[in-house]
Amino acid sequence: MKKKQCKLGVLALLLFAEYGFAQSKDSLSKENAIKEVVVVAFGKQKKEEITGSVQSLKAKDLSNLQNGNILQGIGGKVAGVQVISSGQPGSQPVIRMRGIGSINASSDPLIVLDGIPYNGNLNSIAAADIESISFLEDASSNALYGSRGANGVIIVNTKRGKNKGLSIEADVRTGVNFRSVEDYPVYTSPQDYYTAYYNRARVGEIARLKQPGAVPSGPSPHDVGIAALGKLGYNVYNVPFNQLIGKDGSFNPDAQLLYQDNWKKLLFKPALRREATLGINANGEQVKSYTSLNYLDDKGYLIGSGFERFGIRSNVDYSITSRLKLITALSYTHSKQDFGESGGFSNPFQFARNIAPFYPVFLRNDNYQRLYDNNGNALYDYGDGQGPNGATRSYAVFENPVGNLQKDKSRTTNNIANINLGLNYEIIKGLDFTYNFGAYLENIKTLQFGNTEGGTSSSVGGTISQGATFKYTLNHQQLLTYQKKLGNHNFNLLVGHELNKIKNDGFSGTKQQLLLPNSLSFDNAVKITDLSGNGYEYAVEGYFTRLLYNYDGKYFFNANIRRDGSSVFSPESRWGNFYGLGLAWNIAKEDFLKDNSVINSLKLKASYGQQGNDNILLDSSTRDYYAYQDIYGINNFGDDKPVLSLKKQGNKDLKWETSKNLNAGFEISLLKNRITLNADYFERKVSDMIYTLPLPPSNAGSYVKYGNIGDMTNRGVQANLNVDILRNDQVQWSFYANATHYKNKITRLPAEQRNTGLVTGLFILTEGGDRYTYYLKKFAGVNPENGDALWYRTSINPNTHQEETTVTNNYKEATDYNTGKSAIPKVYGGFGTDVTYKRFNLSVNFAYQFGGYGYDDIYRSLFHSDSYGSNYSTDLDKTWTPENPNAALPRVDLNATNQNGNSTLYLIKSDYISLQDVTLSYQLQDGFAQQAGLSGLKIYLTGNNLYLWSKRKGYDPRASLTGVSDSYRYSLLSSVSLGFKLNF
């Protein structure tokens, strides 16, 4: 029966191939598929020749993305690539390729722009200028970048001149940015908040009285609750606090609301987004050029935040002679980024979520009328006693982010020049020499301004902090390439040298006591409180060679080796050897498949190699360029005498982290290339991982020292599927999907931590465990008698000397456990579809992940047990009260501060599906466009980051690599724009 079903399935497939597409028009023939070229290390290759894992996004895949940084928009589009973004316009996302590359060194991939390693932020490059982005994921593809390719390589190629003659393309779009994910549900009504706060005090008193020997703190729990209300300061009703809530817990129906301000509506508003690009192709016999201008004004939905950019680019290919060519890529970008994120109570996201709904934004008098200054501008309430009846806040006193964001500044201004020059000379036929020079120049200015009128800065008369950094990178490449064809044998040999140097110098200063309240000049302040400057230099040099060989387009082999020296390490450990090997077999060209009408191509491939990592991090963002040297700080302890203190102890024995990568897979195309499937197994072994060494107790945390202490592996599979469902003169309909699964495993730790593991925050590192395994107290439920939170405790029984587990309500006695739950998802990827009907086109793309866990620290914080007037989750009604003794969540009162301590209660599945982008376009008929003096006109409506399906409202798994929610993070934004693309 099974054989019969199998035959019927094959017959159906053949009939589908023969008749289902009989009326179709092949837009991608087998020959075109074979000739497709992708950008790889130091050049290009035909897709069929690649033995490793290289994926590409073309200009058409990127043109509809609306992100100040193009990498923010690629989530779900490339297998093996994870994207963690912030909503701050222009921000640099966190990118991870095929897992975690290191614990303490960087796991960021190398970015290469037009053949030269790029040390800047890709927010300086407009999406319209990009021709393609290639993702090099295995060692045979990226080992030529040696010490910088261990975490993968992203190659960005900008557009160059093509097609003879002059052509112009203009793209103009205008739209709106708004908050993508609605925040956690909290109380928005003063009535609900007052009632909840009253009940916290009442319930806490009831629970306390259940304790042996407890003495009442008031006449009754109701009176304790009423007394607690009086400590909130602000009463927004026309009746006193002691009359707001009756003994039965009901709110006084006669109470009338006097005023209420909505913090969220004032902080978060839909904002305008405008973008315009102009690209000019001018090409002749000897010169091909692409010139572009671009402008972006990308305002954030948080008031006062945004990203503005102006850029110009000129890419020219000049054939000086038939054998000598000059290639240039010149660009300049000016950008201005205004930030709304900050730490502490003043962070607008944390503040808007946590501020109780009765606290006012605007300053009012004793009659509750809003107050204004002499210029008619509204005054803001900072909770410091200037408000109605001298009331003060119990939460975030002296802070008001609405007022601060109107008056304060947090800005970074960048001026970036990028110069790439290449000279190619054909010495003899098949033998070329290329010299590439790249210069990246960046001038960064930072400004922090704190106003004189309100907030913590006003207490010191206002503050101004300014900084300036100048950074430049110089890159030199000398490449000798030899190509030779001997019968069916094809050879390509590359020999090269590369030198990359970076130098950075900067200073910053802070002054207080401003004379003029609105002047941003540094001279406007008189008191210097901080002045510092620093810099660094870094160099890496490499010698490399690569051999590409194929026989008759059937059998492919490549080998490359590179020797790198890095200034990060001591001269004794500076040099490392890195290599990559790859094999591929194009089975479809064998005689037994050559004329097969179902299988158009079938390639088996395998690669192996080793790379290095010298990108050591002192903290989450600061790189250590002097790993083998002691680093000292110069301190002033009040007597104006310089004192040296050791910040980091150098280690001359420190050496490269090394990453050994195995990749094996296949690529298959079926039914006239209508169905393509690429699948890979990968294994990545990281050895000699760099981490802080255990130091003697006498150090007491005053300095750190790094060493090579551990090993780790990432093993997984990834797959890409593309299907052309319909392809004819009227309709083209395609579908794609990709998926990645991997497991991370720590295989070696130092002997000192081998038995106990190494605890870092909420995670524990153990041999056999992964990088993001949660280490927490285990929640054991709720005591129905008094609402106490319960946790498990494991100890040794003194009588039996056996380990036993009990339950405790003492948080400090509870045991921390390896939960076995990880923030790493089981699978992640994306899927989408593209439909064209005549002149209409619809493109829809999704991203997803499943199988991991997050830790919702924001949700946890909304069940706080303290007396501050901060908000609560609306899930407060699921917590224990005498009326709800079987509640799933523990009691929340005003005193028991450990009731919501870190535990497994706040672990949550981090599964999600997100609607990444949707674009609907219409290409107007040529006749209409020509009447308007155009050669083409397209109208389109596009939206990015439009919807999220996840476990809990407010929790966004896309915003954190570790799965831990961050109270201060700029929540992701959505964009919807109407655009016009004009061709001349």
Side-chain angles (χ1 to χ4, degrees):
M1 182 67 180
K2 289 184 179 179
K3 288 183 179 179
K4 185 176 182 181
Q5 290 176 338
C6 181
K7 289 179 180 179
L8 287 172
V10 173
L11 180 60
L13 183 64
L14 292 174
L15 287 171
F16 183 57
E18 186 67 25
Y19 297 109
F21 300 131
Q23 303 300 319
S24 69
K25 179 181 178 182
D26 289 330
S27 61
L28 179 63
S29 67
K30 181 178 179 180
E31 183 180 357
N32 288 335
I34 291 173
K35 289 183 178 181
E36 184 179 348
V37 173
V38 295
V39 179
V40 296
F42 300 100
K44 297 179 179 180
Q45 277 185 273
K46 291 180 181 178
K47 190 172 181 180
E48 68 165 358
E49 298 174 345
I50 293 175
T51 62
S53 180
V54 179
Q55 299 179 73
S56 292
L57 294 175
K58 304 300 184 184
K60 64 180 180 64
D61 304 312
L62 307 170
S63 61
N64 295 325
L65 300 182
Q66 300 186 99
N67 307 93
N69 186 309
I70 192 64
L71 294 181
Q72 287 180 314
I74 65 169
K77 290 180 169 58
V78 183
V81 177
Q82 287 177 284
V83 182
I84 309 297
S85 293
S86 162
Q88 168 66 45
S91 64
Q92 181 90 326
V94 174
I95 302 290
R96 292 293 178 265
M97 296 174 67
R98 288 187 167 183
I100 302 161
S102 180
I103 293 178
N104 203 76
S106 173
S107 293
D108 294 336
L110 171 70
I111 294 176
V112 176
L113 177 64
D114 292 326
I116 303 294
Y118 186 72
N119 293 306
N121 190 321
L122 281 180
N123 66 12
S124 64
I125 302 173
D129 280 350
I130 298 175
E131 181 67 31
S132 67
I133 302 180
S134 294
F135 299 84
L136 281 56
E137 297 179 311
D138 76 304
S140 71
S141 303
N142 57 38
L144 270 188
Y145 291 108
S147 62
R148 293 161 295 173
N151 296 310
V153 178
I154 300 175
I155 299 180
V156 180
N157 264 33
T158 57
K159 293 179 179 178
R160 309 198 69 83
K162 54 187 177 182
N163 302 327
K164 261 192 173 183
L166 176 68
S167 63
I168 301 174
E169 181 174 271
D171 192 346
V172 181
R173 64 180 77 170
T174 301
V176 62
N177 291 334
F178 52 94
R179 188 166 185 162
S180 174
V181 177
E182 196 172 343
D183 207 355
Y184 293 76
V186 295
Y187 290 115
T188 58
S189 160
Q191 173 181 327
D192 292 341
Y193 184 87
Y194 285 144
T195 303
Y197 194 84
Y198 156 84
N199 276 316
R200 294 317 99 218
R202 180 184 68 86
V203 166
E205 176 68 2
I206 293 171
R208 192 183 67 80
L209 290 174
K210 292 177 178 289
Q211 298 175 5
V215 177
S217 59
S220 69
H222 165 75
D223 294 316
V224 171
I226 291 295
L229 284 179
K231 298 177 182 179
L232 292 175
Y234 289 73
N235 184 355
V236 297
Y237 287 94
N238 64 340
V239 298
F241 278 126
N242 61 9
Q243 297 178 24
L244 275 182
I245 299 175
K247 291 185 178 182
D248 61 353
S250 62
F251 198 82
N252 189 337
D254 296 326
Q256 295 181 5
L257 188 65
L258 298 172
Y259 66 88
Q260 184 185 8
D261 297 330
N262 190 316
W263 289 89
K264 287 186 178 180
K265 284 188 177 180
L266 292 167
L267 283 169
F268 309 127
K269 300 179 179 181
L272 187 65
R273 186 185 198 281
R274 298 178 297 168
E275 186 172 11
T277 60
L278 180 69
I280 304 171
N281 276 280
N283 305 304
E285 294 291 338
Q286 290 182 287
V287 179
K288 292 183 178 180
S289 70
Y290 171 79
T291 303
S292 71
L293 296 170
N294 67 83
Y295 175 75
L296 170 65
D297 184 11
D298 197 11
K299 297 187 185 301
Y301 63 81
L302 169 65
I303 60 171
S305 68
F307 177 67
E308 187 176 16
R309 178 186 65 216
F310 170 77
I312 183 170
R313 173 173 298 277
S314 176
N315 293 349
V316 179
D317 299 336
Y318 183 40
S319 298
I320 301 172
T321 70
S322 60
R323 298 168 64 179
L324 182 63
K325 296 180 181 178
L326 175 66
I327 301 170
T328 68
L330 312 175
S331 66
Y332 166 76
T333 302
H334 170 81
S335 65
K336 182 175 65 178
Q337 194 167 15
D338 289 303
F339 298 93
E341 293 174 286
S342 61
F345 283 119
S346 62
N347 177 273
F349 295 92
Q350 189 264 0
F351 194 101
R353 182 185 306 116
N354 286 9
I355 189 73
F358 61 87
Y359 285 128
V361 175
F362 300 105
L363 188 64
R364 288 174 167 82
N365 60 23
D366 291 346
N367 295 319
Y368 309 106
Q369 302 298 311
R370 283 173 55 173
L371 298 176
Y372 300 84
D373 63 18
N374 294 332
N375 297 318
N377 299 313
L379 295 176
Y380 295 95
D381 192 315
Y382 288 87
D384 55 357
Q386 298 183 51
N389 304 306
T392 59
R393 277 198 228 131
S394 62
Y395 176 79
V397 65
F398 301 120
E399 295 296 344
N400 187 316
V402 177
N404 291 345
L405 288 172
Q406 303 285 348
K407 302 174 184 297
D408 293 350
K409 294 287 183 185
S410 179
R411 175 178 293 172
T412 296
T413 303
N414 277 25
N415 289 281
I416 296 173
N418 201 65
I419 304 167
N420 291 352
L421 303 175
L423 197 63
N424 176 267
Y425 180 65
E426 184 183 35
I427 302 172
I428 58 174
K429 186 176 181 180
L431 180 63
D432 288 7
F433 173 76
T434 302
Y435 172 73
N436 292 324
F437 169 76
Y440 172 83
L441 311 172
E442 182 176 22
N443 178 252
I444 307 170
K445 291 185 177 181
T446 60
L447 170 68
Q448 299 284 334
F449 175 79
N451 74 88
T452 62
E453 300 173 33
T456 53
S457 61
S458 65
S459 63
V460 293
T463 62
I464 297 178
S465 296
Q466 290 190 8
T469 301
F470 179 71
K471 178 170 71 174
Y472 71 80
T473 302
L474 302 179
N475 190 280
H476 303 266
Q477 297 174 358
Q478 299 87 37
L479 310 173
L480 191 63
T481 306
Y482 180 65
Q483 299 183 67
K484 186 67 176 178
K485 181 177 176 64
L486 298 173
N488 289 327
H489 301 275
N490 298 277
F491 299 89
N492 183 301
L493 179 65
L494 168 69
V495 177
H497 167 261
E498 183 180 32
L499 175 63
N500 186 273
K501 289 185 176 182
I502 301 175
K503 186 171 183 179
N504 180 294
D505 286 299
F507 76 91
S508 62
T510 301
K511 297 177 75 176
Q512 297 175 349
Q513 294 293 342
L514 278 62
L515 176 62
L516 303 175
N518 298 316
S519 173
L520 303 181
S521 170
F522 216 34
D523 285 342
N524 185 38
V526 296
K527 184 179 178 181
I528 299 175
T529 59
D530 180 71
L531 188 62
S532 61
N534 55 66
Y536 62 82
E537 293 187 49
Y538 167 76
V540 61
E541 186 172 17
Y543 301 87
F544 52 90
T545 184
R546 177 184 65 195
L547 171 66
L548 302 176
Y549 166 79
N550 80 77
Y551 176 77
D552 197 25
K554 296 180 183 179
Y555 314 106
F556 301 89
F557 169 76
N558 74 58
N560 57 72
I561 186 168
R562 175 163 176 151
R563 181 168 173 79
D564 262 0
S566 170
S567 62
V568 168
F569 303 109
S570 68
E572 297 81 8
S573 308
R574 181 158 293 168
W575 291 89
N577 298 318
F578 313 105
Y579 63 89
L581 302 169
L583 295 167
W585 176 24
N586 191 344
I587 304 176
K589 287 193 174 183
E590 299 292 350
D591 290 341
F592 57 86
L593 279 179
K594 195 170 184 180
D595 298 320
N596 190 287
S597 61
V598 176
I599 300 175
N600 307 125
S601 68
L602 174 60
K603 181 172 71 174
L604 302 181
K605 58 184 180 180
S607 65
Y608 183 79
Q610 175 178 291
Q611 298 138 293
N613 191 355
D614 67 345
N615 194 346
I616 306 165
L617 299 179
L618 290 171
D619 53 42
S620 60
S621 60
T622 306
R623 183 172 175 180
D624 185 0
Y625 290 96
Y626 304 97
Y628 70 99
Q629 295 176 310
D630 294 343
I631 301 296
Y632 290 86
I634 302 174
N635 303 294
N636 182 354
F637 293 112
D639 57 359
D640 295 331
K641 293 181 180 180
V643 178
L644 283 177
S645 62
L646 185 62
K647 299 296 184 183
K648 188 215 68 180
Q649 188 177 29
N651 183 358
K652 291 188 176 181
D653 296 326
L654 197 68
K655 58 184 179 180
W656 299 87
E657 280 191 358
T658 56
S659 179
K660 296 178 180 179
N661 294 308
L662 170 68
N663 188 85
F666 69 89
E667 300 175 10
I668 188 170
S669 296
L670 305 170
L671 305 175
K672 298 181 180 179
N673 297 302
R674 297 176 183 279
I675 301 174
T676 62
L677 173 64
N678 301 336
D680 292 282
Y681 166 80
F682 59 87
E683 185 175 292
R684 183 180 179 190
K685 294 183 178 180
V686 185
S687 57
D688 296 322
M689 284 192 302
I690 297 170
Y691 201 74
T692 52
L693 292 172
L695 295 172
S698 59
N699 172 50
S702 60
Y703 64 87
V704 296
K705 182 178 181 179
Y706 294 107
N708 301 98
I709 68 166
D711 300 337
M712 180 172 66
T713 63
N714 295 284
R715 291 188 177 94
V717 292
Q718 67 182 50
N720 288 284
L721 173 67
N722 290 274
V723 180
D724 282 354
I725 301 171
L726 291 173
R727 196 167 69 199
N728 57 50
D729 291 333
Q730 297 293 316
V731 182
Q732 295 86 46
W733 180 16
S734 63
F735 170 82
Y736 80 90
N738 66 72
T740 302
H741 161 76
Y742 80 93
K743 288 186 177 181
N744 173 265
K745 183 178 181 181
I746 296 169
T747 55
R748 179 174 68 88
L749 284 175
E752 295 89 342
Q753 281 93 24
R754 195 156 292 156
N755 294 325
T756 61
L758 189 61
V759 177
T760 61
L762 298 175
F763 305 100
I764 186 169
L765 311 180
T766 59
E767 290 189 356
D770 71 32
R771 172 62 181 90
Y772 292 120
T773 297
Y774 289 102
Y775 187 65
L776 296 163
K777 300 182 190 301
K778 286 187 179 180
F779 182 69
V782 180
N783 185 339
E785 296 297 320
N786 60 9
D788 279 352
L790 303 175
W791 302 276
Y792 289 105
R793 178 176 180 265
T794 300
S795 58
I796 302 298
N797 188 307
N799 298 319
T800 64
H801 302 288
Q802 299 294 315
E803 190 177 83
E804 62 180 26
T805 299
T806 57
V807 172
T808 179
N809 67 344
N810 189 326
Y811 185 79
K812 294 181 179 179
E813 291 181 356
T815 303
D816 290 295
Y817 293 92
N818 183 332
T819 65
K821 292 182 169 62
S822 173
I824 299 174
K826 300 295 184 186
V827 62
Y828 63 89
F831 59 93
T833 187
D834 189 282
V835 182
T836 299
Y837 174 69
K838 295 183 178 179
R839 295 179 175 273
F840 286 95
N841 177 263
L842 175 65
S843 173
V844 184
N845 299 285
F846 295 84
Y848 67 87
Q849 76 173 29
F850 296 103
Y853 284 86
Y855 187 80
D856 200 348
D857 195 57
I858 296 177
Y859 186 69
R860 181 196 66 81
S861 70
L862 293 173
F863 295 95
H864 55 90
S865 289
D866 55 51
S867 58
Y868 296 114
S870 52
N871 219 331
Y872 298 101
S873 167
T874 55
D875 281 353
L876 202 64
D877 59 6
K878 299 177 183 177
T879 61
W880 183 94
T881 65
E883 299 79 20
N884 186 21
N886 298 315
L889 298 177
R891 181 185 77 253
V892 177
D893 57 35
L894 304 183
N895 300 299
T897 56
N898 286 325
Q899 285 286 89
N900 69 333
N902 289 328
S903 75
T904 56
L905 175 61
Y906 302 104
L907 286 176
I908 183 173
K909 293 288 287 184
S910 60
D911 303 346
Y912 76 83
I913 298 176
S914 64
L915 178 54
Q916 292 292 96
D917 50 85
V918 177
T919 300
L920 176 65
S921 66
Y922 177 71
Q923 183 78 43
L924 272 71
Q925 294 184 1
D926 295 342
F928 180 87
Q930 289 168 5
Q931 289 179 7
L934 305 172
S935 60
L937 174 60
K938 179 191 288 187
I939 302 173
Y940 61 92
L941 181 67
T942 184
N944 297 120
N945 199 20
L946 295 176
Y947 198 78
L948 174 72
W949 293 267
S950 64
K951 185 71 173 177
R952 176 180 291 142
K953 184 179 180 181
Y955 177 67
D956 190 345
R958 301 168 299 172
S960 172
L961 181 69
T962 66
V964 181
S965 58
D966 184 352
S967 295
Y968 306 112
R969 192 172 182 85
Y970 199 126
S971 180
L972 295 184
L973 63 74
S974 300
S975 300
V976 175
S977 294
L978 177 66
F980 300 86
K981 188 170 290 186
L982 304 87
N983 295 95
F984 299 89

